C-alpha cells in the first residue's frame, strides 16, 4: 500500500523590514531578486523586525530581464516613486549589481 507524500513546506521569501507597510498596503506587489530562484505558488512573506512577521501569500508570476530593461511601471509596482529610486535600492541590496545583470521580477499577492 502506498503512503501519501508528506505535504510540502511552504517556501519563504524574505524582505527587508522597510517594505512591510507597503506590502500590507498593497502598494508593493512585486519584488526584484538577483540570483535568488523563486517559483510560482504559495509562499510565506517574511519580514525581520524585533519579532519576525510572516504574511501568507502567493507568487503569481516571475519575469526575467536585465537591470537596464527595468521600467517606470516596474518601479511603481515594486513600491518606489520612480526608476531612479528603484535602482538606488537595488544597489543598496546588491552593491555589485550591474546594468547587464539578469534579475527576476517576482509578482505576489497576499492571501489573507
Amino acid at each position: 500500500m502506498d503512503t501519501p507524500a508528506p505535504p510540502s513546506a511552504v517556501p519563504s521569501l524574505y524582505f527587508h523590514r522597510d517594505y512591510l507597510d507597503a506590502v500590507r498596503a498593497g502598494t508593493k506587489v512585486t519584488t526584484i531578486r538577483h540570483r535568488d530562484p523563486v517559483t510560482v505558488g504559495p509562499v510565506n512573506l517574511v519580514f525581520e523586525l524585533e519579532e519576525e512577521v510572516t504574511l501568507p501569500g502567493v507568487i503569481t508570476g516571475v519575469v526575467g530581464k536585465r537591470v537596464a530593461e527595468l521600467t517606470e511601471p516596474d518601479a511603481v509596482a515594486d513600491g518606489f516613486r520612480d526608476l531612479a529610486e528603484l535602482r538606488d535600492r537595488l544597489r543598496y541590496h546588491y552593491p555589485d549589481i550591474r546594468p547587464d545583470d539578469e534579475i527576476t521580477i517576482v509578482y505576489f499577492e497576499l492571501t489573507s
Side-chain angles (χ1 to χ4, degrees):
M1 171 149 83
D2 291 337
T3 55
S8 299
V10 175
S12 294
L13 187 61
Y14 291 88
F15 288 80
H16 190 276
R17 73 185 85 215
D18 291 350
Y19 303 128
L20 177 60
D21 291 340
V23 169
R24 279 185 168 153
T27 57
K28 180 175 179 62
V29 295
T30 67
T31 182
I32 295 175
R33 301 301 166 118
H34 180 54
R35 298 184 182 137
D36 185 8
V38 178
T39 58
V40 171
V43 67
N44 287 318
L45 309 176
V46 181
F47 301 82
E48 298 285 336
L49 303 165
E50 284 99 39
E51 196 172 292
E52 188 173 272
V53 175
T54 301
L55 304 175
V58 62
I59 294 173
T60 59
V62 292
V63 174
K65 60 170 63 175
R66 296 191 185 285
V67 172
E69 297 171 330
L70 289 167
T71 64
E72 291 287 331
D74 292 331
V76 172
D78 210 52
F80 298 101
R81 289 184 304 265
D82 56 31
L83 191 52
E85 185 180 20
L86 170 59
R87 287 185 174 146
D88 285 345
R89 285 305 278 189
L90 285 174
R91 283 189 295 274
Y92 171 79
H93 293 298
Y94 307 108
D96 297 329
I97 201 163
R98 299 174 2 176
D100 61 337
D101 283 342
E102 293 276 340
I103 50 91
T104 302
I105 301 174
V106 180
Y107 296 83
F108 64 87
E109 297 174 358
L110 295 178
T111 55
S112 68

